[in-house]
């Protein structure tokens, strides 16, 4: 099952959703239709995020989501220093912005201090699983193990050696969730999964060598998460190895070899939050991105051809996770 | 553990260590030349980031790898002129001006990247070149003689820099102004000119190191070096200002890093202690220096600006 | 007159830096004047901005004062990042272990833990330099890397908030630490906390120790000339170790004050040290050298540099320019101001200096980075 990078049309940078819209729509019947994400609102929005707006990963997923809602947010990006993020969050609140999105787990401590000072402002904070008891804070997190599981199941169909390599950053947060879900999915299909954490979010060269080490040890399919994986994707490209992505659609990194990406569609939960805000609820609830609510979408690269059986298996897996018959181990 | 001691894994680890060591080696050799002349440059990381970005951008736009290498070198050269002016003519405190260069490089390369490129887009990587005959030696050939051209260049620079420092008039002048600028000055050696040239060479090599890094990986993103330039500065002390020693340090650091990554891939190192294991390159570099440490004296005039008054 | 020149030259240099910054701003389509206004406004515009600047300056003062002590003893300390982390970790452990102690006891204890943690992280490279001839630039850079991994290991493992494990979210952070250890806020509604005062006091104490105590005399003697110090009966190796230990302990104190003052009462990692320290370990070096390696001058210097950092964040937010531009601008300011320093001293000399402080400074300038032989 060699990858067939047939339609290398460079104009089609973004992959399209394949047949899954149908399945998901059928199962997640209680959801609003996912076709049009725009909301009609006068609320002003600002985003404070730790990495660059166009990082093809964590920050971009949020910026794209807000823009998909037809809202042009103010953005302060690259604030990985908690102190600077705190200043920016407070600054936006003082400016009278209605909704401040603090897109970084590490900003929680600052938020606990700032939010009570601005009761009329809603702060949206993630990834986080609780609102710290603050009634003007909404929290959000992805159940990244779900998409990881689907990617793992598909990856197991592509490996001939039976070994799959994973390159992770520091063992924490949704990186662990994605990787554990991926491993559970691949192992459910009988594949062996070797996981390497490089213990750095920034060391691209080390991520590349980690991928290389997986290849030495027989891996013929790779995945990974966080911004330093661009190094690992480079190794996959060089060696013609299929790659699975997460957080944002990573197809632009290699249009022939990226099989699928788990993409975070925050707009699904943001829409619910905005509706609550319009109705006068300023916070106090936590939202999860799941396959069921379309917050997590497995976007397949149509430049990488999968056979019918694999596609069907992927659909069934997604359906199984949604109806609860498959446990992702998360 | 036994999986590690198979020939193919050992060979792959050696090759991986050499790849990892290369940017450290080139940058540290350049820093060695500067420090021998009495100039500390803490800005290596910033210069590497700038040259890496411009090399990457050039290749992205022109698809010409060697033009990218050339641009990386030129950017290093230009930064050398700037750093030379700052340290030699303005006598700025070297540690701090280097941090200034680092911050500027970190910010400016990121800014240019965001404005000109946006998202990380892959470029062609430097192709591997097999050295005729040598590459055919079983195993050894695979580990040592199937790398990209800049990796060979890095290791060839070791004897070249050694020769330059030891056997050429310029090299003698460098040592003279690094040890005793007053005496060198009274003997008619221009301290300013010698130091300026040493800085130019050092920064140009940092530029080459940045280009080597981005073209080996085929990608650029913010803070691509991830502090690599600072480690290169540290390795100069490991090598006690001798190119061969610096090479030893770079190889040690790279090989330990590669070994840890390999052992993780083999799942020999359990996940529970992954980050503890990641300390190994830093800790072993210190440990090796404790064992090896002779009483090597730094260039006496290191970090001291010179003026005739 | 001398004072005036002393202030005018670096200000002029900063102006030049901003000129370059203005060009960068123009190039990306932002108004440079608005940029300057945003920086000054964000740094010193109102009480809130001043408080934020003071909070930002706090670790710079401490690290800077520590750098001063090390440099005076002729030891270079690039390990501020690791020492801040070490102090923060040890103080966090203490707060986790003894959450119920009353504030009057717990606060001094966490501060002491910070001092000790940073002190150990400084003593190791100090002893390595003194007794094993391991260059401290190498060991401090390497230990920075080690401390990051230790932080990540502890925060995702032994010290992690049990709730994070229970929920499976595994965010690498401690539980919210005892409020009894929290630095009191000095002015309600601002971020100004007691830690800023403690940092200033620590810098003053560093000055007194360095210039008014036998220990300080011996440290400076070692820095001035190890041979002469040894001839005078001073134990050089031991004092090199002391110098880096004291330097490290001030960084460690900054770490404790970050956890219990500036950053929401819990320790969390984004995988890097800069995410937690805000690169104070490096920026503190800049503050110390701006302050001419004098603990007292480090204080205003840290306020200036801290202001630049908060102002740049404000400019980023107001003008919607990338953070990267602010980082590059900070680099330019450092380069220009430091390049102006010798110009200033030349003018100083020309004006035949009489100022007491500057005299002291000149005669006390350390012999840079001299190796110590056994």
């Amino acid at each position: 099952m060699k990858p067939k990078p047939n339609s290398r049309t460079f104009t089609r940078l973004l992959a399209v959703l394949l047949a899954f819209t149908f399945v998901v729509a059928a199962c997640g019947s209680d959801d609003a239709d996912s076709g049009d994400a725009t909301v009609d609102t006068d609320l002003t929005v600002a985003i404070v995020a730790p990495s660059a707006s166009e990082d093809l990963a964590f920050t971009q997923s949020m910026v794209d989501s807000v823009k998909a809602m037809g809202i042009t947010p103010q953005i302060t990006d690259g604030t990985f220093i908690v102190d600077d993020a705190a200043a920016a969050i407070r600054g936006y609140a003082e400016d009278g912005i209605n909704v401040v999105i603090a897109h970084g787990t590490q900003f929680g401590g600052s938020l606990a201090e700032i939010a009570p000072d601005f009761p009329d402002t809603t702060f949206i904070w993630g990834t986080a699983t609780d609102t710290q008891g603050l009634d003007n804070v909404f929290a959000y997190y992805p159940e990244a193990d779900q998409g990881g599981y689907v990617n793992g199941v598909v990856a197991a169909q592509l490996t001939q050696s039976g070994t799959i390599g994973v390159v992770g950053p520091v063992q924490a947060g949704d990186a662990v969730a994605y990787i554990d879900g991926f491993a559970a999915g691949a192992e459910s299909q009988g594949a062996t999964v070797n996981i390497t954490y490089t213990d750095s979010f920034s060391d691209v060269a080390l991520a590349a060598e980690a991928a290389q080490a997986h290849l030495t040890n027989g891996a013929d399919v790779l995945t990974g998460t966080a911004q330093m994986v661009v190094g690992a994707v480079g190794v996959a490209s060089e060696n013609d190895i299929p790659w699975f992505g997460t957080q944002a659609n990573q197809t632009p990194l290699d249009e022939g070899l990226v099989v699928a990406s788990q993409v975070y569609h925050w707009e699904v939960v943001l829409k619910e939050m905005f509706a609550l805000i319009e109705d006068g609820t300023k916070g106090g609830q936590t939202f999860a991105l799941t396959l069921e609510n379309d917050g997590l979408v497995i976007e397949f690269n149509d430049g990488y051809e999968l056979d019918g059986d694999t596609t069907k298996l992927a659909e069934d897996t997604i359906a199984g996770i949604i109806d609860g018959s498959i446990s992702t181990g998360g | 553990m036994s999986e590690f001691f198979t020939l193919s894994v050992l060979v792959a680890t050696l090759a991986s260590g050499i790849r990892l060591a290369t940017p450290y080696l080139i940058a540290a050799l350049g820093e060695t030349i500067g420090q021998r002349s009495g100039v500390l440059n803490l800005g290596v990381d910033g210069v590497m980031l700038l040259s890496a970005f411009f090399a990457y951008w050039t290749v992205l736009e022109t698809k010409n790898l060697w033009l990218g290498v050339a641009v990386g070198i030129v950017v290093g050269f230009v930064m050398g002129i700037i750093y030379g002016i700052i340290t030699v003519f303005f006598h700025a405190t070297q540690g701090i001006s280097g941090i200034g260069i680092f911050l500027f490089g970190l910010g400016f390369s990121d800014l240019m990247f965001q404005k000109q490129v946006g998202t990380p887009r892959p470029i062609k990587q430097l192709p591997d070149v097999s050295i005729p005959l040598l590459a055919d030696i079983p195993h050894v050939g695979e580990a040592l003689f199937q790398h990209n051209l800049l990796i060979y260049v890095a290791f060839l620079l070791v004897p070249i820099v050694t020769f330059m420092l030891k056997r050429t008039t310029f090299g003698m002048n460098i040592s003279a102004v690094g040890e005793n600028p007053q005496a060198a000055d009274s003997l008619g050696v221009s301290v300013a000119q010698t130091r300026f040239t040493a800085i130019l060479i050092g920064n140009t090599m940092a530029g080459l190191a940045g280009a080597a890094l981005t073209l080996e990986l085929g990608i650029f993103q913010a803070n691509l070096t991830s502090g690599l330039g600072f480690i290169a500065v540290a390795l100069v002390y490991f090598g006690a200002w001798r190119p061969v020693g610096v090479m030893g340090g770079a190889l040690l650091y790279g090989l330990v890093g590669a070994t840890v990554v390999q052992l993780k891939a083999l799942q020999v190192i359990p996940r529970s202690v992954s980050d503890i294991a990641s300390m190994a390159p830093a800790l072993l570099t210190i440990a090796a220096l404790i064992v090896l440490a002779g009483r090597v004296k730094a260039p006496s005039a290191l970090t001291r600006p010179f003026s005739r008054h | 007159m001398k004072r005036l020149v002393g202030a005018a030259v670096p200000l002029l240099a900063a102006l030049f830096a901003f000129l370059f910054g203005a060009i960068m701003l123009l190039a990306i389509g932002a108004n440079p004047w608005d940029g300057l206004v945003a920086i000054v406004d964000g740094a010193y515009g109102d009480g809130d901005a001043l408080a934020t600047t003071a909070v930002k300056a706090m670790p710079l003062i401490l690290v800077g004062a520590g750098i001063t002590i090390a440099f005076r003893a002729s030891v270079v300390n690039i390990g501020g990042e690791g020492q801040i982390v070490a102090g923060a970790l040890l103080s966090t452990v203490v707060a986790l272990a003894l959450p119920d102690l009353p504030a009057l006891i717990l606060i001094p204890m966490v501060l002491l833990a910070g001092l000790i943690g940073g002190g150990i992280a400084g003593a190791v490279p100090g002893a390595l330099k003194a007794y094993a001839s391991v260059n401290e630039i190498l060991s401090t850079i390497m230990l920075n890397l080690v401390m990051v991994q230790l932080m990540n290991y502890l925060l995702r493992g032994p010290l992690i908030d049990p709730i994070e494990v229970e929920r499976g979210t595994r965010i690498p952070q401690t539980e919210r630490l005892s409020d009894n250890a929290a630095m009191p806020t000095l002015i309600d509604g601002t971020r100004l906390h007691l830690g800023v005062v403690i940092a200033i006091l620590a810098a003053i104490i560093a000055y007194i120790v360095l210039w008014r105590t036998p220990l300080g005399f011996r440290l400076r003697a070692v820095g001035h000339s190890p041979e002469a110090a040894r001839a005078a009966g001073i134990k050089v190796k031991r004092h090199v170790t002391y110098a880096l230990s004291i330097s490290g302990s001030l960084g460690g104190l900054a770490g404790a004050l970050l956890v219990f003052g500036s950053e929401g009462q819990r320790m969390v990692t984004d995988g890097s040290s800069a995410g937690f320290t805000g690169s104070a370990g490096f920026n503190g070096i800049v503050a110390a050298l701006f302050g001419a390696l004098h603990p007292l001058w480090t204080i205003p210097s840290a306020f200036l540099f801290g202001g630049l950092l908060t102002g740049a964040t404000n400019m980023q937010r107001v003008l919607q320019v990338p953070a990267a531009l602010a980082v590059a601008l900070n680099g330019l300011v450092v380069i220009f101001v430091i390049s102006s320093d010798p110009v200033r001293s030349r003018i100083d000399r020309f004006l035949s200096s009489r100022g007491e402080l500057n005299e002291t400074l000149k005669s006390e300038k350390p012999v840079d980075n001299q190796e110590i032989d056994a």
Side-chain angles (χ1 to χ4, degrees):
Chain A
M1 193 165 324
K2 266 192 76 77
K4 291 162 220 150
N6 48 4
S7 71
R8 280 178 184 267
T9 48
F10 283 90
T11 44
R12 305 192 67 174
L13 281 183
L14 289 176
V16 294
L17 255 126
L18 279 187
F20 304 105
T21 332
F22 171 73
V23 180
V24 174
C27 301
S29 50
D30 55 348
D31 280 317
D33 65 325
S34 55
D36 183 21
T38 55
V39 290
D40 185 27
T41 178
D42 294 330
L43 295 171
T44 49
V45 180
I47 301 174
V48 178
S51 51
S53 303
E54 297 181 275
D55 63 355
L56 271 189
F58 187 67
T59 298
Q60 183 166 6
S61 70
M62 177 55 78
V63 174
D64 286 354
S65 293
V66 173
K67 286 180 178 165
M69 294 165 69
I71 296 170
T72 308
Q74 294 196 46
I75 302 169
T76 297
D77 61 0
T79 53
F80 63 93
I81 296 170
V82 173
D83 234 13
D84 294 347
I89 294 167
R90 189 177 275 277
Y92 281 126
E94 280 170 354
D95 290 353
I97 299 280
N98 305 117
V99 179
V100 182
I101 302 177
H103 192 47
T105 303
Q106 65 269 38
F107 306 154
S110 312
L111 216 54
E113 289 175 2
I114 298 168
D117 294 345
F118 300 93
D120 295 332
T121 308
T122 289
F123 299 88
I124 298 182
W125 169 51
T127 56
T129 50
D130 75 313
T131 61
Q132 308 186 74
L134 298 160
D135 52 16
N136 58 338
V137 172
F138 285 121
Y140 58 85
Y141 68 98
E143 296 198 347
D145 50 314
Q146 295 191 348
Y149 192 95
V150 179
N151 274 359
V153 166
V154 177
Q157 312 308 310
L158 301 183
T159 174
Q160 287 178 323
S161 66
T163 303
I164 299 168
V166 183
V167 180
V170 177
Q171 287 179 69
D174 52 331
V176 174
Y178 171 76
I179 288 172
D180 286 351
F182 183 94
E187 280 160 5
S188 76
Q189 303 291 310
T192 304
V193 180
N194 288 336
I195 300 166
T196 301
Y197 286 97
T198 63
D199 299 304
S200 165
F201 278 100
S202 58
D203 199 329
V204 181
L206 203 60
E209 293 306 331
Q212 197 74 54
H214 283 310
L215 300 190
T216 304
N217 297 310
D220 60 355
V221 177
L222 292 173
T223 190
T225 176
Q227 58 268 36
M228 83 301 160
V229 291
V230 290
V233 182
V235 171
S237 295
E238 209 177 6
N239 295 282
D240 232 15
I241 297 287
W243 173 268
F244 287 82
T246 186
Q247 291 189 336
N249 191 322
Q250 290 175 345
T251 304
L253 288 174
D254 192 310
E255 286 154 40
L257 290 171
V258 174
V259 183
S261 305
Q262 165 175 248
V263 183
Y264 295 172
H265 285 276
W266 302 110
E267 66 269 21
V268 172
V269 292
L270 289 177
K271 258 167 70 178
E272 291 183 46
M273 295 181 204
F274 277 63
L276 284 167
I277 297 167
E278 303 266 13
D279 288 347
T281 307
K282 295 255 180 271
Q285 298 180 32
T286 300
F287 296 83
L289 292 189
T290 62
L291 289 170
E292 183 174 5
N293 66 15
D294 280 351
L296 300 177
V297 176
I298 308 295
E299 295 186 1
F300 284 81
N301 172 14
D302 63 353
Y304 189 100
E305 209 169 88
L306 288 172
D307 64 31
D309 290 347
T310 309
T311 311
K312 174 80 169 57
L313 184 61
E315 289 169 16
D316 292 347
T317 306
I318 292 172
I321 292 171
I322 290 172
D323 69 25
S325 62
I326 293 175
S327 160
T328 57
Chain B
M1 194 68 191
S2 61
E3 307 96 311
F4 181 69
F5 293 103
T6 58
L7 213 47
S8 63
V9 171
L10 286 172
V11 164
T13 308
L14 185 56
S16 164
I18 288 170
R19 279 193 300 271
L20 281 176
T22 296
Y24 295 112
L25 177 57
I26 303 175
L29 283 174
E31 177 75 12
T32 302
I33 297 170
Q35 289 203 7
R36 285 278 281 252
S37 80
V39 180
L40 167 71
N41 179 11
L42 276 180
V44 181
D45 209 50
V47 177
M48 287 180 69
L49 281 167
L50 288 170
S51 60
F53 168 73
F54 283 101
Y56 164 82
W57 191 27
T58 306
V59 176
L60 189 67
E61 296 295 330
T62 68
K63 310 273 181 267
N64 186 331
L65 284 167
W66 297 108
L67 191 62
V69 175
V71 166
I73 290 172
V74 169
V75 170
F77 186 81
V78 170
M79 290 311 290
I81 294 175
I82 295 171
Y83 194 63
I85 291 172
I86 295 170
T87 47
V88 177
F89 295 126
F90 284 106
H91 295 179
T93 318
Q94 291 163 12
I96 188 174
S97 56
I99 292 177
I101 297 263
F102 161 64
L103 289 174
F104 174 73
L106 177 67
F108 195 68
S109 61
D110 188 7
L111 181 69
M112 289 295 291
F113 177 71
Q114 286 185 37
K115 287 293 159 191
Q116 300 299 337
V117 184
T119 63
R121 279 149 60 192
I123 54 169
K124 256 193 310 183
Q125 289 145 303
L126 279 175
D128 287 348
V129 177
S130 295
I131 306 280
L133 300 178
L134 292 176
D136 298 332
I137 305 171
H139 310 301
V140 177
E142 193 187 324
L144 303 182
F145 302 110
Q146 294 180 23
H147 289 292
N148 76 50
L149 214 52
L150 289 186
I151 293 183
Y152 302 123
V153 169
F155 285 87
L156 278 177
L157 279 171
V158 177
I160 292 171
V161 173
T162 307
F163 178 83
M164 187 203 78
L165 287 172
K166 277 196 170 162
R167 307 266 173 225
T168 65
T169 316
F170 177 61
M172 311 275 184
N173 288 349
I174 286 182
S175 298
V177 304
E179 288 297 335
N180 192 339
Q182 279 75 16
D185 184 59
S186 65
L187 290 173
V189 177
S190 165
V191 177
Q193 199 185 327
T194 307
R195 284 189 172 171
F196 202 102
T197 315
I199 291 169
L200 272 186
I201 298 174
N203 278 268
T204 304
M205 286 170 73
L208 179 63
L213 179 67
T214 190
L215 298 180
E216 160 72 31
L217 296 170
I219 200 90
F220 182 89
Q221 65 180 21
N223 192 18
L224 181 79
T225 54
S226 181
L228 193 158
F230 286 95
I231 295 166
V233 173
L235 292 175
V236 174
Y237 296 93
F238 183 94
W241 299 273
R242 287 173 311 213
V244 174
V246 168
M247 179 179 77
L251 277 175
L252 175 72
Y253 199 87
L255 283 172
V256 173
T259 305
V260 170
V261 156
Q262 193 66 248
L263 291 176
K264 283 181 186 172
L266 287 165
Q267 317 286 299
V268 174
I269 295 175
R271 283 170 62 179
S272 53
V273 292
S274 176
D275 14 32
I276 301 288
S278 291
M279 297 173 182
L283 285 178
L284 284 180
T285 309
I286 297 176
L289 198 55
I290 295 172
V291 176
L292 297 172
R295 299 259 140 66
V296 188
K297 215 171 146 294
S300 307
L302 186 59
T303 75
R304 275 198 258 173
F306 172 76
S307 64
R308 284 186 166 154
H309 317 295
Chain C
M1 184 65 187
K2 215 176 83 67
R3 288 267 161 83
L4 205 69
V5 173
V9 173
L11 281 180
L12 212 68
L15 217 65
F16 268 109
F18 281 116
L19 211 65
F20 266 82
I23 296 170
M24 286 199 294
L25 281 169
L26 277 176
I28 65 166
N31 182 331
W33 176 251
D34 291 349
L36 189 64
V37 170
I39 287 179
V40 175
D41 198 42
Y44 311 108
D46 55 27
D48 225 27
L50 281 171
T52 307
T53 296
V55 169
K56 194 84 184 171
M58 180 273 289
L60 305 186
I61 295 170
L62 285 166
V63 172
I67 296 288
T68 303
I69 290 172
F71 274 46
R72 292 283 165 182
S74 229
V75 187
V76 182
N77 180 10
I78 310 188
E81 291 286 283
Q83 290 146 12
I84 294 173
V85 168
L89 283 172
L90 198 59
S91 62
T92 298
V93 168
V94 168
L96 280 172
L98 306 163
D100 300 323
L101 288 181
L104 269 178
I105 300 172
L106 190 54
I107 288 180
M109 277 187 72
V110 296
L111 296 184
L112 190 66
L115 285 164
I116 293 172
I120 294 171
V124 170
L128 284 174
K129 179 186 175 66
Y131 300 99
S133 302
V134 173
N135 180 286
E136 77 278 18
I137 294 185
L138 175 132
S139 57
T140 48
I141 287 177
M142 294 297 172
L143 281 175
N144 284 343
L145 304 171
V146 171
M147 292 313 298
V148 173
Q149 296 299 350
L150 182 65
M151 170 174 72
N152 291 345
Y153 170 73
L154 290 175
L155 292 185
R156 72 169 180 79
L159 299 184
I160 196 171
D161 185 350
I163 293 174
E164 292 298 332
V165 180
E166 198 180 297
R167 289 208 189 104
T169 39
R170 304 207 71 95
I171 290 160
Q173 63 183 16
T174 63
E175 61 189 72
R176 198 181 148 78
L177 300 166
S178 169
D179 278 331
N180 292 350
M183 288 294 124
T185 302
L186 295 182
I187 302 171
D188 273 344
T190 74
R191 297 182 59 214
L192 190 70
H193 59 80
L194 187 65
V196 177
V197 178
I198 294 174
I200 292 171
L201 285 177
I204 295 170
I205 293 170
Y207 166 76
I208 294 170
V209 167
L210 211 42
W211 267 281
R212 300 278 186 266
T213 67
L215 173 67
F217 174 79
R218 291 197 297 268
L219 288 174
R220 287 181 296 131
V222 168
H224 201 74
S225 163
E227 291 80 13
R230 186 172 299 108
I234 296 171
K235 293 196 169 70
V236 173
K237 291 180 176 184
R238 186 178 296 179
H239 282 82
V240 166
T241 314
Y242 286 163
L244 258 170
S245 308
I246 298 171
S247 186
S249 64
L250 288 171
L253 179 60
L257 292 174
L258 281 174
V259 174
F260 296 101
S262 310
E263 295 176 13
Q265 204 65 14
R266 64 167 29 137
M267 211 176 160
V268 47
T269 176
D270 73 339
S272 71
S273 65
F276 170 67
T277 64
S279 295
F282 287 111
N283 293 336
I285 302 177
V286 177
L289 285 158
F290 272 2
L293 289 175
H294 192 287
L296 294 183
W297 280 113
T298 302
I299 301 170
S301 159
F303 272 94
L304 269 177
F305 200 66
L308 186 63
L309 296 173
T310 44
T313 313
N314 191 53
M315 174 181 74
Q316 183 196 355
R317 184 174 60 78
V318 174
L319 299 191
Q320 291 288 293
V321 295
L325 191 143
V327 176
L329 185 61
N330 289 344
L332 285 173
V333 172
V334 171
I335 293 169
F336 275 87
V337 174
I338 204 64
S339 298
S340 76
D341 193 49
V343 177
R344 180 183 59 180
S345 50
R346 231 171 279 172
I347 298 171
D348 275 2
R349 235 173 297 156
F350 184 74
L351 292 169
S352 75
S353 52
R354 251 174 298 163
E356 195 191 325
L357 180 62
N358 261 327
E359 258 331 284
T360 326
L361 277 178
K362 240 172 256 159
S363 61
E364 300 287 352
K365 270 258 153 88
V367 181
D368 292 274
N369 190 30
Q370 204 157 54
E371 290 291 301
I372 294 149
D373 33 48

